Amino acid sequence: MAHRVTGVLIFFFLFVHVLDTALVRVSPEAYDRVVATYKTPVVAVLEYGLVAAILFHALNGLRVIAVDFWAKGARYQKQMLWSVVGLWVLLMIGAIYPVLGHAARVVFGS
């Protein structure tokens, strides 16, 4: 279920990304205003969520491939799921500073 939810969230992000990028041809001023909103701390938290969704979707996709194409995949799917979750948590901890560091400095001062 989480794989499907993250896939849908990533799809909607890509849809919005294409729309806001296309805005540059319609109105460069409007595009600049939209891009300026992307530099806010709230959007930084949303970007962290995007990183979480993409990373989980990618790691779990590899697990799904292993379950489908490895003869013993179905037998070890629970262990592989917990491995994916553990690796995802470690990588998300590592992504906190690069993704949220600027937002933290804006909110709390440098």
Side-chain angles (χ1 to χ4, degrees):
M1 184 65 153
H3 191 72
R4 291 179 179 150
V5 170
T6 56
V8 170
L9 291 173
I10 294 165
F11 171 78
F12 282 120
F13 163 77
L14 290 173
F15 181 72
V16 169
H17 180 62
V18 168
L19 288 178
D20 71 7
T21 303
L23 189 60
V24 76
R25 300 185 127 245
V26 177
S27 171
E29 296 81 20
Y31 174 79
D32 290 340
R33 284 192 305 271
V34 169
V35 169
T37 64
Y38 291 162
K39 297 176 183 173
T40 63
V42 172
V43 175
V45 172
L46 293 174
E47 285 178 344
Y48 188 72
L50 176 65
V51 170
I54 291 171
L55 189 58
F56 180 81
H57 192 78
L59 293 172
N60 193 56
L62 294 173
R63 182 190 70 85
V64 169
I65 290 169
V67 168
D68 287 346
F69 292 108
W70 181 33
K72 296 179 182 179
R75 182 180 308 149
Y76 295 109
Q77 72 174 336
K78 185 182 266 188
Q79 292 89 338
M80 287 189 292
L81 174 62
W82 286 112
S83 297
V84 162
V85 170
L87 181 59
W88 177 77
V89 167
L90 287 174
L91 292 172
M92 288 308 300
I93 290 169
I96 288 174
Y97 182 75
V99 178
L100 296 176
H102 177 71
R105 286 188 298 276
V106 168
V107 172
F108 301 112
S110 44

